[in-house]
Amino acid sequence: MSPDSHSDDTSEPHDLGDGDAPNIVLVVMDTARARETVPATSAITPTLASLAGSGTEFTHAYTSAPWTLPAHASLFTGQYTAAHGAHGGHTYLDADHETLPEAFQSAGYETVGVSNNCWITGEFGFDRGFDQFRKGWQYIQSEVDTGAVVRASGVSERLTSLREQLLAGNPAITLANVAYERYLCDDDGAARTTDWVDTWLTRRKTNGDDQPFFLFCNYIEPHIEYDPPREYAEQFLSSSAVEEAIQLRQDPRAFDVGDYELTDRECELLRGLYQGELAYVDAQIGRLRESLQAAGEWENTIFVVLGDHGENIGEYGFFGHQYNLHETVVHVPLVISGGAFSGGGQQESLVQLLDLVPTLLDETGISAPELLTQLQGQSFHPQSTTPPREAVYAEHVQPQPSVDSLEARFGELPDRVKAFDRSLRSVRTNQATYIRGSDGSQWLYPAASSERQNRVDQRPALVARLDTKLDDWLGTVERDHTTQTSVAMSASTEQRLADLGYL
């Protein structure tokens, strides 16, 4: 941890017995990018706009990685990918990293997590520190994942998968989960997640439970495949355009390698569906706020909403959020409501999502020595005396899926795609963006220009200065990771991740 990475605030930790320790609710709008959500507006995300109006909106918030696994690892540990080591080559958050839920659990909080993204489960090390951790796609929580059954094509394959899953666990629970996911769910988990949290909050209120809580929710709907409820899609597309849009192929990896193309109009149609997904999740976040209000918890809750990473929908020749570090995949929404963040307005200073760890510790007054020791973020709490950031950084340590995997699926790849077999790191300041590949590639975008025309050749002095800044930063955060292997995962998880475009 750098000397100034945590706040100088020396307030005493809250006594959890005095009833005033604030609840923390951390909501991830998976794959929400800044283009549609910053600044938050009532046109797409009215709940987010309302929260921003009463709280604080950070209009220059950046993730440290362009996809789910490393981005959440940074969010939970306060470390960059170079330190926590969870990425495409090592798909697991190792236990030697203290996490934010563990810190709150140790401080006496009830800790609850609900994830609708299968990267963020115990299978990959993300359930540590939670008293309860739910997989949102299951009606009854089970180690047997019914995804292979639900996604099987054809009666024969489905029956074979069902037989295997029935033998692997409790048959009644497996059948209930199959029926629930295949026939009873009308979204990707947002509604049932909110329903479950509402029931949990109601139970706490009925029982008179005044223990403070830390609640984490991942809403995955803005992720591929874009398939919002019809009424939300029609907020952004005509009825006929919705019909046209839902017929479009949504296969990010096939698009990236040139297996098929999307016209400008087709990209716009997909963006309309994507906006519908954002609007739908925003409505679920509104329901979550109502549940907290009904339970009498809202006034004592710090409510955080963010995007873990962004998305390309045709921009820069990409679909999805792999193989680049452009603004579209690293600039994300971040709104905090409650406590010291009430009435903070729009803040334009640079912040990173991993800065939330020290910031929330400052807000709650929790002492977490192990977590503080490993921190690489810095607090942006309103009472922090830490100077604002001069720069934000991002890493794409290893492509996921790998180029070898792409070649196995698609055959001979064009040179542009073979070039994806590299690591990428970036630094952004108020003056410029600089991206560097391990293959020697470089991109420079002065702040006055959009990230469209690479200016490396025109601004060599600026390139050299930012290149040195990137090296200096890397030297302070990088840690040795001798194990660079993927973690074995279940067949059902592999299928889910394939559906999301990762495998």
Side-chain angles (χ1 to χ4, degrees):
M1 179 181 70
S2 60
D4 63 351
S5 60
H6 189 49
S7 170
D8 294 330
D9 179 25
T10 56
S11 59
E12 291 296 318
H14 287 286
D15 178 358
L16 298 189
D18 63 15
D20 69 346
N23 307 311
I24 301 295
V25 176
L26 187 61
V27 179
V28 173
M29 300 175 72
D30 204 300
T31 322
R33 64 181 187 177
R35 174 170 170 167
E36 282 80 6
T37 58
V38 180
T41 66
S42 58
I44 299 178
T45 53
T47 301
L48 197 62
S50 173
L51 292 168
S54 61
T56 304
E57 179 176 21
F58 297 88
T59 58
H60 290 78
Y62 287 83
T63 185
S64 57
W67 64 286
T68 299
L69 178 90
H72 277 75
S74 292
L75 178 64
F76 278 25
T77 65
Q79 297 176 307
Y80 290 98
T81 309
H84 62 63
H87 53 72
H90 181 69
T91 51
Y92 191 84
L93 179 58
D94 292 323
D96 57 349
H97 303 287
E98 182 84 359
T99 67
L100 192 62
E102 287 177 304
F104 276 95
Q105 187 181 56
S106 296
Y109 275 64
E110 180 180 4
T111 53
V112 175
V114 187
S115 173
N116 291 288
N117 189 315
C118 55
W119 277 122
I120 310 306
T121 61
E123 193 168 358
F124 300 105
F126 285 93
D127 61 345
R128 295 200 310 277
F130 286 103
D131 299 321
Q132 296 187 71
F133 193 91
R134 293 183 60 84
K135 292 176 279 192
W137 55 89
Q138 290 188 343
Y139 181 67
I140 303 173
Q141 297 298 289
S142 171
E143 292 302 312
V144 177
D145 191 340
T146 57
V149 181
V150 175
R151 289 161 176 76
S153 58
V155 175
S156 177
E157 182 181 340
R158 189 169 297 124
L159 288 174
T160 299
S161 296
L162 178 59
R163 182 169 58 252
E164 293 173 351
Q165 299 303 318
L166 289 174
L167 293 173
N170 185 306
I173 292 176
T174 298
L175 286 172
N177 283 336
V178 169
Y180 186 68
E181 187 172 0
R182 180 166 177 79
Y183 299 110
L184 301 178
C185 298
D186 56 3
D187 68 2
D188 291 323
R192 60 186 181 272
T193 291
T194 311
D195 290 344
W196 185 88
V197 172
D198 180 72
T199 300
W200 170 70
L201 288 169
T202 300
R203 187 183 304 118
R204 280 177 50 95
K205 181 179 180 180
T206 301
N207 294 338
D209 190 350
D210 62 357
Q211 181 184 11
F213 58 82
F214 174 91
L215 172 64
F216 164 77
C217 293
N218 173 291
Y219 290 111
I220 198 175
E221 272 73 5
H223 205 294
I224 292 288
E225 180 177 344
Y226 313 141
D227 185 26
R230 186 72 180 232
E231 62 268 30
Y232 289 92
E234 290 185 353
Q235 293 179 23
F236 308 99
L237 298 170
S238 67
S239 179
S240 60
V242 171
E243 289 296 328
E244 185 179 355
I246 61 178
Q247 300 301 318
L248 293 174
R249 184 180 180 186
Q250 296 188 41
D251 189 339
R253 301 294 76 83
F255 176 84
D256 288 345
V257 303
D259 195 53
Y260 77 105
E261 296 181 352
L262 292 167
T263 66
D264 289 346
R265 170 175 169 72
E266 289 170 337
C267 286
E268 284 303 315
L269 290 172
L270 290 173
R271 290 178 194 127
L273 292 181
Y274 174 74
Q275 291 169 359
E277 294 280 32
L278 290 169
Y280 175 62
V281 168
D282 181 82
Q284 295 300 321
I285 294 172
R287 289 185 57 218
L288 182 59
R289 176 174 59 179
E290 291 170 1
S291 295
L292 288 161
Q293 291 168 338
E297 300 284 5
W298 178 253
E299 296 302 322
N300 194 39
T301 293
I302 310 303
F303 197 78
V304 184
V305 183
L306 58 94
D308 62 333
H309 57 76
E311 185 83 320
N312 285 304
I313 311 176
E315 295 89 358
Y316 311 107
F318 290 103
F319 189 13
H321 43 269
Q322 291 289 331
Y323 312 127
N324 69 97
L325 289 176
H326 286 298
E327 186 87 356
T328 42
V329 296
V330 295
H331 188 191
V332 294
L334 174 60
V335 173
I336 307 179
S337 175
F341 298 93
S342 298
Q346 287 188 353
Q347 298 294 320
E348 297 184 351
S349 56
L350 293 169
V351 299
Q352 299 226 236
L353 296 186
L354 56 82
D355 295 337
L356 275 168
V357 175
T359 301
L360 292 177
L361 293 179
D362 279 352
E363 175 64 18
T364 57
I366 286 176
S367 175
E370 289 187 36
L371 189 55
L372 290 175
T373 299
Q374 75 185 31
L375 284 183
Q376 295 174 335
Q378 62 181 59
S379 176
F380 54 81
H381 190 274
Q383 296 174 6
S384 172
T385 59
T386 304
R389 278 183 170 276
E390 295 181 353
V392 291
Y393 303 88
E395 302 171 89
H396 196 17
V397 173
Q398 187 164 324
Q400 177 69 33
S402 68
V403 172
D404 286 344
S405 297
L406 293 177
E407 195 164 34
R409 178 184 172 190
F410 298 104
E412 182 63 24
L413 301 174
D415 289 342
R416 171 182 176 271
V417 179
K418 291 178 180 178
F420 297 166
D421 193 13
R422 62 190 171 200
S423 63
L424 296 169
R425 290 188 167 92
S426 68
V427 54
R428 281 174 170 80
T429 69
N430 290 322
Q431 289 73 45
T433 293
Y434 173 65
I435 306 170
R436 183 180 72 196
S438 59
D439 59 354
S441 53
Q442 296 174 305
W443 296 263
L444 177 71
Y445 305 105
S449 65
S450 64
E451 291 188 6
R452 294 293 180 185
Q453 185 176 354
N454 187 358
R455 305 295 181 88
V456 165
D457 294 337
Q458 292 97 322
R459 304 287 297 274
L462 181 57
V463 169
R465 186 160 64 250
L466 292 175
D467 194 67
T468 298
K469 190 175 187 68
L470 193 57
D471 280 337
D472 290 345
W473 163 79
L474 189 59
T476 65
V477 302
E478 192 168 31
R479 296 181 184 173
D480 181 39
H481 296 279
T482 56
T483 303
Q484 298 294 313
T485 58
S486 295
V487 174
M489 62 186 77
S490 70
S492 294
T493 299
E494 286 189 1
Q495 184 59 58
R496 288 184 186 277
L497 292 174
D499 290 345
L500 295 174
Y502 287 112
L503 301 177

